[in-house]
Amino acid sequence: MAKFDDLSRLLEQFVKIGPPGCGCAVAKDGKVLYEGYFGYADIEEKRPVTEDTVFRLFSMTKVIICTAGLMLYERGKFLLNEPLYEYFPEYRDTHVYVNHPNGNVEIRKAKNPILIKHAFTMACGMPYNFGNFPTAKEMEKVKAELVKKHGKYDIVTEVRAMGSVPIAFEPGTRWLYGYGHDIVAALIQVVSGKTVGQFLQEEIFDPLGMKDTGYRYKDDIEKRMISVYNKDEKGEYKKIPGFLDEFHKPDAIYEMGGAGLYSTVRDYLKFSQMLANGGVYNGQRIIGRKTIDLMRANHLNEEQLRDFRNSYLAGYGYGLGVRTMMDIAEGHSNGSVGEFGWTGALGTYVSIDPSERFSIVYMHQMLPNMEEYHHLRVRAVANGCLE
């Protein structure tokens, strides 16, 4: 079996070839089994990665947002099979783009409404506001109009405005990465009566002691933030601005659901251990065990699985905001069926295994993120350390 020394050697090798720095921690039954930090948080400043280094989570925000949404689901605030228009009337008259074989594109009224479940499972037909989808181009126009009208605005304002955009396919028929979890964030704000950030702080971050996680800079967070590097084909690094960092500023309003949080490896490990141990960490119950089981069940049909899977996601299905392992042989994984988690655009990764009460958190900040190379090796070695 692997030893945690093997994990340290692997991470040391990572920083020799890129990224410049990384951190990783592994825990089981609420106890940290391994914690290691390697390389630089900033090359020019010779600032090392440590347990205090703060990382941009990007899409690992989604796991926290969907957990928060499901906390409200299990309090009876909404049902997953309810139409989205029950909470956002702007989606009552949803239209859809229809592509014809001759290349013509038609806009028709959707046959069925977008359900709340479709927002959780990325089956609502709304990508992000970039890319070559007609829906994405229309979403970009809506965002530009909102900035022109309001300057700064919150997630609920944006989600309401997006109700006018024709979606990419009939709700629930395909899988398309994108805007769904921003809709979940707006739903949290509407049904809880609190801002997204306030709900997360009071209901998740404070109870778990996640003092270095949030949307806005506070205390010395900005100084502890890791720098982002682009690695070119020659293997040379160029520091680039941390995109979306403007939303960390104290005067920002926008709190998205698909990205936008920052955290440390230690903080996110606490959150992952809560989910790995039936919704409880350090005596604090955050969410019900059966709700976590619902979250990590596969919710996609065969056609949607074809949309979802690639070599990085081999063997996985998709639940309510998380990838979930369906077949360890197909996934080339020494993990467990039902292991779940997600990834962030700059190289962050979480794996949560309730059957072993075990979780892995790995973080770096580099483009390209080389997620398949790094994450699947970390997964293999960390799982190999289980007795």
Side-chain angles (χ1 to χ4, degrees):
M1 64 183 284
K3 298 182 175 68
F4 285 116
D5 286 348
D6 295 314
L7 186 53
S8 288
R9 281 190 284 270
L10 178 71
L11 301 178
E12 286 169 355
Q13 182 63 29
F14 282 179
V15 301
K16 288 178 182 176
I17 60 174
C22 64
C24 183
V26 176
K28 178 177 167 67
D29 294 314
K31 296 178 181 177
V32 178
L33 303 181
Y34 173 86
E35 190 174 12
Y37 301 94
F38 301 86
Y40 289 115
D42 189 282
I43 298 171
E44 291 77 13
E45 297 174 8
K46 295 288 189 284
R47 177 163 51 95
V49 175
T50 71
E51 65 272 14
D52 294 320
T53 300
V54 179
F55 297 79
R56 301 159 189 82
L57 292 180
F58 279 84
S59 286
M60 263 168 55
T61 300
K62 293 174 166 68
V63 188
I64 295 175
I65 286 293
C66 289
T67 298
L70 289 171
M71 290 164 67
L72 291 163
Y73 156 81
E74 67 177 12
R75 295 175 192 178
K77 297 293 187 180
F78 61 86
L79 296 174
L80 290 167
N81 62 343
E82 286 183 309
L84 186 60
Y85 65 65
E86 295 286 353
Y87 301 86
F88 298 97
E90 295 83 358
Y91 291 80
R92 185 176 290 276
D93 193 32
T94 297
H95 282 65
V96 60
Y97 284 107
V98 179
N99 296 301
H100 294 289
N102 64 4
N104 290 341
V105 179
E106 180 187 357
I107 298 175
R108 294 180 187 164
K109 191 175 187 318
K111 296 173 184 174
N112 298 296
I114 298 173
L115 305 181
I116 290 175
K117 175 180 176 175
H118 298 151
F120 275 92
T121 58
M122 299 284 192
C124 59
M126 298 181 74
Y128 281 121
N129 59 299
F130 46 80
N132 201 28
F133 294 93
T135 301
K137 292 174 181 176
E138 288 302 313
M139 292 173 73
E140 184 61 37
K141 288 179 186 176
V142 168
K143 285 180 79 79
E145 289 166 4
L146 286 172
V147 170
K148 188 176 179 181
K149 181 178 179 181
H150 301 287
K152 296 176 182 178
Y153 57 85
D154 71 356
I155 190 65
V156 172
T157 300
E158 182 180 275
V159 166
R160 292 191 186 283
M162 290 298 179
S164 65
V165 175
I167 59 177
F169 49 74
E170 277 291 329
T173 60
R174 301 293 299 270
W175 186 90
L176 177 62
Y177 193 66
Y179 195 68
H181 298 161
D182 296 287
I183 294 173
V184 174
L187 181 67
I188 290 168
Q189 191 157 311
V190 166
V191 302
S192 73
K194 300 175 182 179
T195 66
V196 185
Q198 185 183 4
F199 185 87
L200 296 181
Q201 192 68 46
E202 294 176 5
E203 301 275 355
I204 297 177
F205 303 154
D206 284 346
L208 293 180
M210 296 172 68
K211 60 183 178 60
D212 291 327
T213 305
Y215 283 109
R216 307 280 175 259
Y217 291 137
K218 58 190 175 185
D219 304 323
D220 63 344
I221 291 289
E222 187 172 8
K223 292 179 182 177
R224 291 195 277 131
M225 188 79 79
I226 192 170
S227 297
V228 182
Y229 288 90
N230 182 261
K231 183 182 178 186
D232 65 21
E233 293 176 357
K234 297 178 183 176
E236 296 175 352
Y237 298 113
K238 180 183 177 183
K239 190 191 296 189
I240 58 175
F243 39 102
L244 303 183
D245 279 6
E246 66 268 25
F247 298 117
H248 296 314
K249 300 293 184 184
D251 61 347
I253 298 171
Y254 190 59
E255 295 172 335
M256 67 198 92
L261 289 173
Y262 58 74
S263 191
T264 61
V265 170
R266 279 187 175 179
D267 264 15
Y268 210 95
L269 190 69
K270 294 174 183 177
F271 173 72
S272 70
Q273 273 292 286
M274 177 273 293
L275 290 173
N277 288 277
V280 179
Y281 180 81
N282 271 0
Q284 295 286 325
R285 174 162 293 284
I286 303 298
I287 190 171
R289 175 176 61 86
K290 299 300 292 182
T291 308
I292 297 170
D293 288 345
L294 175 65
M295 183 185 199
R296 68 190 180 106
N298 173 56
H299 288 256
L300 303 187
N301 61 32
E302 287 300 319
E303 184 172 15
Q304 291 172 313
L305 283 172
R306 285 192 290 272
D307 292 335
F308 171 72
R309 283 182 177 160
N310 53 35
S311 58
Y312 178 62
L313 293 167
Y316 285 104
Y318 194 70
L320 299 174
V322 293
R323 65 169 188 271
T324 183
M325 180 57 73
M326 297 172 66
D327 187 328
I328 58 172
E330 189 177 343
H332 320 295
S333 171
N334 58 346
S336 307
V337 171
E339 172 264 320
F340 69 102
W342 201 240
T343 299
L346 293 178
T348 55
Y349 170 79
V350 63
S351 169
I352 302 161
D353 185 347
S355 67
E356 298 284 350
R357 303 174 304 284
F358 180 72
S359 62
I360 308 162
V361 174
Y362 168 83
M363 296 187 182
H364 71 235
Q365 308 268 259
M366 182 181 75
L367 288 175
N369 67 23
M370 296 177 64
E371 59 190 11
E372 188 164 349
Y373 180 90
H374 294 98
H375 298 168
L376 301 192
R377 281 171 169 78
V378 168
R379 182 184 72 178
V381 177
N383 283 332
C385 293
L386 278 169
E387 294 185 1

